[in-house]
Structures are given as structure tokens and as C-alpha cells.
Amino acid sequence: MDKQTVVVLFGGRSSEHSISSATAGGVLGAIDRDRYAVIPVGITREGAFVLEDDDPAKFPLDAEHLPEVVDNGSRVRWPEPGGDRTLRVVRTDGSIDDLGEIDVVLPILHGTHGEDGTIQGYFDTLEVPYAGGGVLDSALCMDKHFMKIALQAAGLAVAPWVTVRRRQWDADAAAIRDSVAELGLPLFVKPARAGSSVGVSKVDALDELDAALAIAFAEDEKVLIETGVTGREIEVAILESADGTRASLPGEIVLTARGFYDFEGKYLGGDGVDVVCPAEVSEEELAAIQDAGIRAFDAVDGRGLARVDMFLTSDGGLVVNELNTMPGFTPISMFPKCWVASGLSYGDLISELIEAGLRR
């Protein structure tokens, strides 16, 4: 059987560059080499597309030295629409090599310029198939404000919130403080368009609000201030396959010594958080969680995959926190853990994502 050629695309210009690079290490190590030929393409922090080494060990998840895509002087040239799908690379000496025709791109990019619909629109323009989310769902879920509006319109519960732009805060901070006070405590302050808990702060007293906003505004000029929801932190993985959309067994984030599931807890194995998968839930709760996950996916016109995060409250209610259209694939990430617990191996999960991209 002829192998199909997959471009694994990673790195990027966002603050989550290193997490994307670490995810690439996992994907390069687990992808089915009997089925797929692989071309690793990295995006530097400055935005250059470079031909990378096909070496999973180069991109380990190491808290002491997070991996990154370094500019090696090469430049990848993508196929033009209407022609063949030959990928080319310009070497440092100016020579151009053909890398062969590609079948699909697997973008494992997190954050802006990768998970927000921009790279998806780029490949749509080039008429190159790609796996994962499309333009609309990626853009919607990258902006937490509009994501909440879409979820509410679908009848799903979300935490009460106030959206604040930097210019509003600079013009009348007192009015913002008054509106935020009505949300109660604790609060969570989040950049509207960032992921992996980058720039997120928990506010237990209103005198902490200014500092939390400064951290969030450093990531985005639009920020959400949300009411903290009391409940179990549940995450469910959604996957689009040939047989339709399906949901995994859910996992649970159990905080033992952290105020919330922050960047260190998610990716660096920090103390104070346990990732439990599958979560201990009743059959009724399981059905409700999986149904809410699929409904949330449908509400944003989801494609490919998503991780849906929600709270299970003491009265059995579900409050959707957010959707992530390119969740982490690191060894301690919830998305692959949920599917492994559901009977789908890491390698088979990657194959399903690729095959969904090829069907487009």
C-alpha cells in the first residue's frame, strides 16, 4: 500500500510555541510510519516555515528546557492552488528541493496564528487538505467571548461574565470594578484569545483585580472576567470520524494544592493537581457529559476534534467552561488520555485525525 504523506506542522508565533513543539515530539514518535510518510515543518517564533528534523527526541517535554523551533535557514514553499501538491524547500545555499506531493497537513499549533482559524484559512486558500478544526470553529473557540455566546444560543449553561477591553479599563476603571463586583467571588480573569491557561489569574478579593487584569492584558487587549463555578472539573474529548461525532469517557482535574489548573499543572507535571481518567461518574452523569460535549461541538460547528471542559455541580448541572479545538497531545495531556481510557491508542487517535482531514 502506498503511504500517504502527512506534513506535521508545529511551533508557531504564539506564547504556546513550546507546548506545540513538545506535542510534535509525541506525535512524531507515535504516528503510524507503516501507513504515513512524514514531513516535519516547524514555524519559528518569528513566523518562518522551516524544514525540521524528523526526530521526536529533539522535542521533549522538559520543564527545565522547553523545546522550540529554531531558524535553521531553510524555507518551506507550499503548493499553489490549482496545481500539484508538491512541497518544496529552499536550502541555505539557495537551492530548491522537491519533497514530493503531500496529501494532508496535521497542524498541531496552539494559540494565535495556529488555533484561531488563520492557518486553517491559509490552507483553504491553498486548497491543501488539513486535519483538525476549520476556520469558523477555530475562530469561535479562540475567542472566549463569542464562544460563550454560541454556547448560550445552543441552550448550554456557561459561567456569568463581563468582557473588558483595555481601552474601556483605561477610560473608566471604576465603572468596570462596579460591574465586576456584581459577579461575586472568586473570579477568574482570562485573556479572550489565549490558551493553555496563559495569562489566567484567580481573584479571591477585589483588590487583586487590577494585577490580574495587567497579566491578562499582556496577552490580549480583550479580557473576560468570569464568576468562579463550584463543581468538579470535567473534560471530555470529542472526535469526528467516518461514523459521526463521538465523545470519549470523561476525565477529571482534581486540585489538591493549586488554586486552578494552570500552565505548570497542565504541561509541566507540577504538584497540586491530579489528572484522573476516566472520571468516577454515574451512568446518568456520563451520558449527560457526553451529550453536552457533542452539543457544544455542534454549537460551534466543530470539525475534526475538540476537548470540552465543563463543571459538574453538586446538583448534577453542567456548566461549559470552554472548547479547545487543538488540545495538547503531550504525555500528560487530557485529550489523548481520555481516548486511551476509551480504548483508542495514541497512534490510532493520530490516524483518525489524519483520516478525517483526508475525507474533506
Side-chain angles (χ1 to χ4, degrees):
M1 182 178 70
D2 290 337
K3 295 182 181 180
Q4 291 174 305
T5 300
V6 180
V7 175
V8 177
L9 183 65
F10 58 96
R13 295 170 56 190
S14 82
S15 57
E16 299 169 80
H17 175 104
S18 290
I19 297 305
S20 171
S21 300
T23 298
V27 170
L28 291 173
I31 194 168
D32 187 345
R33 300 286 179 151
D34 293 330
R35 192 171 179 180
Y36 305 111
V38 177
I39 301 175
V41 174
I43 304 176
T44 68
R45 294 183 187 275
E46 292 73 35
F49 291 89
V50 301
L51 184 64
E52 262 293 357
D53 296 325
D54 190 1
D55 179 11
K58 185 178 178 180
F59 305 101
L61 182 61
D62 181 356
E64 298 301 320
H65 181 68
L66 288 172
E68 65 177 318
V69 176
V70 177
D71 193 341
N72 57 24
S74 66
R75 290 295 182 268
V76 169
R77 296 291 180 259
W78 295 98
E80 295 185 4
D84 61 26
R85 291 182 183 160
T86 299
L87 192 71
R88 297 176 172 86
V89 59
V90 182
R91 304 290 184 178
T92 54
D93 62 1
S95 63
I96 300 176
D97 291 338
D98 287 356
L99 302 177
E101 290 198 17
I102 60 175
D103 294 290
V104 67
V105 177
L106 176 58
I108 46 175
L109 300 163
H110 305 301
T112 52
H113 308 293
E115 199 178 354
D116 56 0
T118 52
I119 199 74
Q120 291 77 15
Y122 179 64
F123 289 125
D124 281 342
T125 302
L126 296 182
E127 299 177 350
V128 171
Y130 58 92
V135 173
L136 178 61
D137 56 327
S138 299
L140 269 177
C141 294
M142 189 65 193
D143 191 310
K144 297 177 179 66
H145 172 83
F146 290 106
M147 177 193 66
K148 281 176 170 284
I149 291 172
L151 293 172
Q152 279 188 325
L156 292 157
V158 298
W161 85 98
V162 171
T163 299
V164 181
R165 294 187 179 273
R166 185 194 299 272
R167 64 175 182 271
Q168 295 172 312
W169 176 251
D170 292 341
D172 195 348
I176 300 298
R177 292 191 190 94
D178 289 343
S179 64
V180 167
E182 299 176 5
L183 293 174
L185 293 170
L187 298 167
F188 283 91
V189 179
K190 307 176 179 180
R193 295 162 293 203
S196 298
S197 297
V198 174
V200 177
S201 300
K202 184 180 181 182
V203 172
D204 292 307
L206 288 177
D207 61 6
E208 300 170 359
L209 179 63
D210 290 31
L213 282 168
I215 292 170
F217 280 137
E219 296 293 329
D220 192 353
E221 61 88 25
K222 185 166 74 171
V223 168
L224 270 68
I225 305 171
E226 296 179 341
T227 300
V229 177
T230 301
R232 297 171 63 186
E233 295 191 41
I234 301 294
E235 299 186 354
V236 64
I238 308 298
L239 194 61
E240 183 185 31
S241 68
D243 300 323
T245 303
R246 65 188 197 270
S248 71
L249 292 174
E252 180 175 7
I253 305 301
V254 180
L255 301 177
T256 57
R258 286 182 183 271
F260 67 100
Y261 193 31
D262 60 6
F263 182 91
E264 183 180 1
K266 283 184 177 180
Y267 296 110
L268 305 183
D271 296 333
V273 59
D274 294 328
V275 178
V276 179
C277 193
E280 293 186 13
V281 294
S282 68
E283 288 296 320
E284 289 183 352
E285 290 169 336
L286 172 61
I289 290 165
Q290 291 178 325
D291 177 68
I294 292 174
R295 287 174 59 205
F297 188 73
D298 290 341
V300 299
D301 200 20
R303 294 174 62 183
L305 76 162
R307 193 192 68 233
V308 183
D309 304 344
M310 62 189 79
F311 295 98
L312 176 61
T313 62
S314 58
D315 62 359
L318 291 169
V319 179
V320 179
N321 187 33
E322 66 177 11
L323 287 85
N324 189 311
T325 57
M326 182 42 70
F329 273 76
T330 68
I332 62 172
S333 295
M334 183 67 88
F335 189 88
K337 280 191 170 187
C338 284
W339 282 116
V340 169
S342 304
L344 187 65
S345 72
Y346 187 24
D348 287 342
L349 172 60
I350 295 167
S351 295
E352 288 232 15
L353 293 176
I354 293 169
E355 293 303 312
L358 288 166
R359 284 193 298 272
R360 292 179 182 172

